[in-house]
Amino acid sequence: MRTNSVSLRMGAAFVHSEFLNISVYRVSFWLNLIYTFLMMYSVGYVWRALYAANPSVTGVSLAQMISYAVMGVALEAILHPRNGPQSYIMEQVRKGTIEMDILKPVDFQFYMFSKNMGGLAVRFFFLVLPSLITAYFLFSLKLPDLPALMGFICSLACSVIISFFLNFMLGLLSMVTMNIKNINWGYNAVLRFFSGQMVPLWIFPGILKILGDILPFRCIYAIPASIYIGNYAGMDMLGALGVQGAWIILLWISSRLLMKKVFAKVMIQGG
């Protein structure tokens, strides 16, 4: 019990430290905020144009589709791979100082998760919330009912954890390959396409829809956004949350096994 309490206090310290580090870069903050606003306006305009040509293009109302797309843009600030732990791990590997992080008196994965949560907290409160408030007035968005809102909050928490595990495993690969820039680029491209961030997966044709349903990426954007707009409700919402829970367990086990294997390889090589 005492060990867990110490770990939690250390984790809280890491979160606070990362919060302070990121909040210092104000120019980057304003650029990201402007980018988010422009992207929101762009996707809203595109979907309005598409619905003007074909009102049944996605099977949901225009208001629901704009809410879905705007949510995808807003959540990018906390779920995009560039904000994941793999960038930090790769940089530490490049500088040859990753052993300082590994040898800290706290589990390496927990340490990375705590650092990631600190940055996420900054981006959520200073990028996501202002963006969503602006979008609420700009597009006359409607808030979901209470069950959908609670389901969305639970789903968003799951998506953050799933995103972390995927990014963390990419970071572990950098300890073996030394450079994952190309891998990271490819991962980001696949994530954008199969996560349903901009285009909902339910309008994908044939094999693409099957792949989108099988891969874990829909758990990051598509499921939270679909719950928010009411496309998943009742048992469908519970089933979607169950899918996210199953992926969390699978990715946690996979990341622990990969971390053990990579650390063994690093130690054998004396790195």
Side-chain angles (χ1 to χ4, degrees), residues 191-212:
L191 171 64
R192 279 184 174 275
F193 188 80
F194 284 109
S195 67
Q197 180 187 4
M198 299 297 181
V199 180
L201 296 177
W202 66 78
I203 67 173
F204 276 28
I207 187 65
L208 291 179
K209 185 178 185 304
I210 294 173
L211 285 173

Side-chain angles (χ1 to χ4, degrees), residues 41-54 57-58 62 65-66 68-70 197-200 203:
Y41 180 80
S42 299
V43 297
Y45 179 84
V46 168
W47 282 111
R48 281 176 173 170
L50 290 173
Y51 268 75
N54 183 1
V57 63
T58 66
L62 174 60
M65 192 61 246
I66 289 181
Y68 181 100
V70 164
Q197 180 187 4
M198 299 297 181
V199 180
I203 67 173

